[in-house]
Amino acid sequence: QLKKKALCCLVEQLLEGKKVMLDELGNFWLSLSSEGAESCEAFTAKNITGVNIIFTPGEDFDNLLSRATFNPVPSR
């Protein structure tokens, strides 16, 4: 239940246009895609074609390549 409430709160904050910082996990925010308009006045919500969630990981995720170990596995 707590997990569901946290996700609902995250979505709510993103839809309000806020950048959400989740402690050391990282940051979330929205990015929009749109079709152009002839002027600012002609631009409406109908011009928006997509909404994407952008995630920037926190410091714990830095340099994962240098911290990872890789082992060969047999082919499938």
Side-chain angles (χ1 to χ4, degrees), residues 42-64:
F43 189 89
T44 67
K46 291 180 181 180
N47 292 80
I48 298 172
T49 59
V51 178
N52 296 301
I53 297 175
I54 306 296
F55 169 69
T56 302
E59 289 182 22
D60 286 348
F61 294 97
D62 284 347
N63 301 314
L64 284 180

Side-chain angles (χ1 to χ4, degrees), residues 10-36:
L10 175 62
V11 170
E12 180 181 312
Q13 296 295 306
L14 291 172
L15 290 174
E16 289 180 7
K18 296 178 181 173
K19 183 175 186 177
V20 180
M21 295 176 274
L22 291 181
D23 223 3
E24 297 182 19
L25 177 63
N27 301 316
F28 296 83
W29 69 93
L30 293 183
S31 170
L32 303 177
S33 302
S34 66
E35 296 175 348

